[in-house]
Every structure is written in structure tokens, then in C-alpha cells.
Amino acid sequence: MRNMSDIIEQYLKKLIEESGTEVVEIKRAHIAEKFDCVPSQLNYVIKTRFTNEHGYTVESKRGGGGYIRITKVETHSKAEYLAHLKRLVGEQLSQQNAKHIIQSLYENEVVTQKEAKIISAVMDRETLMLELPYRDRLRAKILKRVMDVILYSEE
């Protein structure tokens, strides 16, 4: 059985998809009421599942007329998308953020499920048996190189 966070995530993704503009504005209280949960649960879902690494930008305005605007990062080509992800990677990359980026690659059909699992295995701290920050630096270099290979193997 799926948990409430999964249900809210799927609902928000469906709203974004149905919007036709890749943007959705929601009221925190309205969504919390709809799912009979506290607003902080919605905050958790947005902060963990609608990040840049997942391919989204989030803006929020608090107060009576407040809203949360979730935008799916629109890229016109695989090259733009991969360049966007490479910028997010930077010089260091945590295992958690690597998993988010790999999931985004899979969800956007850049890699297959099998390829995503292979990349994740390579990114795992058990594989990269180094101390921090060297492990995060190596993880960033490996993932950037993987994205380069994906990009150039398409040409």
C-alpha cells in the first residue's frame, strides 16, 4: 500500500501533466484539506520530491493569498536536459541527490530501469569506499561522465 506522501506526489504530478503548461499553482491548505493531512506533510513532499534534481522548480508565497507554484523544468532537447542536470551536479554529489538525478533520468526516459539500477549501484557509498568529501567528488565526476556518454552515444 502506498503511503500518503506517495499519493500526494502522484496527485501533484497528475495536476502538472493535466495543466498543459507544466506549471501548477496550489494552495497548501486546500491540498492538506483534500488529503486530510497537516500542511507540513505537503511541505515534506514538495521539499523531497519536487526538487531541481527531480526536474522541478518550486516557488512559494506565504500568507492568506499564498500559493505554491511547481514548474516542471522544460527542456527542448535531451542535450539541454542533460546540461541542466550536469549543472546541478556541481563538484560534489551526495548519494541521495545522485539517486534523485538518476530517478529523473529514468522518469524522463533518458535511461531504462535497468540502466538506472546499474548507475545507482556505481554511485552507492558501498561501491565508492572513500571518505568524504572525496567520495562525493568522485560520485559527481562519474555521474557527469555517464551523462556525457549518454549524450554523445545519441549522436
Side-chain angles (χ1 to χ4, degrees):
M1 183 173 181
R2 298 186 313 170
N3 66 33
M4 183 60 71
S5 294
D6 293 337
I7 293 167
I8 294 170
E9 175 188 13
Q10 290 308 309
Y11 174 76
L12 293 175
K13 284 183 175 179
K14 185 177 177 200
L15 285 179
I16 292 168
E17 186 179 312
E18 291 174 350
S19 75
T21 62
E22 304 292 316
V23 178
V24 67
E25 277 189 18
I26 58 170
K27 299 262 188 197
R28 187 180 282 107
H30 172 75
I31 300 296
E33 185 179 309
K34 178 177 181 61
F35 289 100
D36 194 27
C37 67
V38 293
S40 61
Q41 177 135 24
L42 178 60
N43 291 345
Y44 169 80
V45 171
I46 290 170
K47 286 184 180 192
T48 60
R49 311 214 182 165
F50 292 90
T51 64
N52 279 319
E53 291 84 4
H54 285 104
Y56 298 91
T57 60
V58 177
E59 304 168 55
S60 66
K61 180 181 177 228
R62 296 195 179 264
Y67 62 85
I68 298 172
R69 180 181 298 134
I70 304 171
T71 306
K72 186 163 175 55
V73 174
E74 186 177 324
T75 53
H76 299 288
S77 70
K78 188 182 284 188
E80 283 181 34
Y81 176 65
L82 290 170
H84 168 75
L85 290 180
K86 281 179 69 175
R87 284 190 299 276
L88 289 175
V89 169
E91 296 301 313
Q92 295 185 46
L93 184 64
S94 70
Q95 182 172 329
Q96 181 177 3
N97 285 341
K99 287 188 181 294
H100 293 311
I101 290 171
I102 295 163
Q103 181 65 28
S104 181
L105 289 169
Y106 171 68
E107 287 176 358
N108 287 285
E109 300 177 356
V110 175
V111 297
T112 65
Q113 185 175 21
K114 182 178 180 179
E115 291 165 338
K117 286 180 179 183
I118 292 168
I119 297 166
S120 288
V122 171
M123 299 288 119
D124 194 87
R125 67 179 54 92
E126 298 300 318
T127 304
L128 305 175
M129 294 177 56
L130 294 169
E131 295 296 317
L132 292 173
Y134 306 108
R135 181 173 58 220
D136 287 353
R137 288 181 188 152
L138 180 58
R139 186 179 288 118
K141 286 183 179 190
I142 292 170
L143 190 55
K144 285 182 185 178
R145 184 66 185 122
V146 165
M147 287 190 274
D148 285 341
V149 170
I150 291 168
L151 179 61
Y152 297 117
S153 67
E154 297 289 319
E155 296 177 350

